[in-house]
Amino acid sequence: MKLTTKQLTLCGVLTTLALALSVAENQIPLSLAIPLPGIKLGLANIVTVFALYALGPGQAFLILLARCILGAVFAGNMNALLFSLLGGVTAMGVMILLSRWRRLSLYGVSVGGAAAHSCGQVFAAVLSLGSTAPLYYLPVLLGVSLFTGALTGLVAACLFRALAHTNLMKG
């Protein structure tokens, strides 16, 4: 995959933005409003969805990997790396497949990615705990994924609308 200078720069900016959104989201006390463990808005996934459609699957995947690895390093929480990688890679794989289905909108792809992310994280919990108990929490996470995935899709769609008059994604 040969990248132009413009594409490489955009990848760097999007990786930085995804990392910043991830760090910022960790500062939001969402558990006060929604007292359920593991519930996050997934703000960094806005960048993932945007990158998938703007740059393609290969570059979006690299941005995702960089965000997951750097996020764990910056947070000093290498235990979270397994959860982040399994959730992110599962979501990216599902979104790549769903984005090829032309009848499915950006919103549907985003919701599918959010649901897959939850499945990946529950699988990470099963692996790290050595128990299938986390599977009982999966329906709750999947229900929340409908909202968070739709929100992520909405923001990504707004970004595309706002950038439609620019040449950011051309060439």
Side-chain angles (χ1 to χ4, degrees):
M1 162 176 29
K2 183 174 163 62
L3 299 177
T4 66
T5 303
K6 182 178 176 181
Q7 289 171 324
L8 186 60
T9 303
L10 186 55
C11 282
V13 168
L14 290 176
T15 300
T16 303
L17 179 59
L19 193 53
L21 287 170
S22 182
V23 169
E25 183 173 19
N26 288 334
Q27 303 305 310
I28 298 171
L30 192 60
S31 61
L32 296 177
I34 305 171
L36 297 171
I39 304 295
K40 291 176 71 174
L41 292 173
L43 298 178
N45 294 327
I46 295 166
V47 175
T48 304
V49 172
F50 180 81
L52 176 62
Y53 281 89
L55 299 172
Q59 293 170 41
F61 186 71
L62 292 175
I63 291 168
L64 171 80
L65 287 178
R67 175 186 48 97
C68 291
I69 293 167
L70 290 172
V73 169
F74 289 163
N77 188 355
M78 296 311 285
N79 292 331
L81 183 60
L82 174 69
F83 287 83
S84 184
L85 280 175
L86 278 177
V89 169
T90 304
M92 179 57 72
V94 166
M95 288 192 301
I96 289 169
L97 292 174
L98 291 177
S99 69
R100 293 181 178 158
W101 191 21
R102 297 294 172 205
R103 291 181 170 212
L104 197 58
S105 71
L106 175 75
Y107 299 97
V109 171
S110 183
V111 169
H117 191 275
S118 293
C119 292
Q121 289 203 319
V122 166
F123 182 63
V126 167
L127 286 177
S128 53
L129 294 174
S131 165
T132 58
L135 292 173
Y136 292 104
Y137 193 53
L138 185 57
V140 173
L141 293 177
L142 290 175
V144 172
S145 295
L146 291 172
F147 169 75
T148 58
L151 178 65
T152 299
L154 174 66
V155 174
C158 289
L159 278 173
F160 280 113
R161 250 182 255 118
L163 295 172
H165 68 284
T166 70
N167 67 353
L168 184 65
M169 273 78 66
K170 295 181 184 102

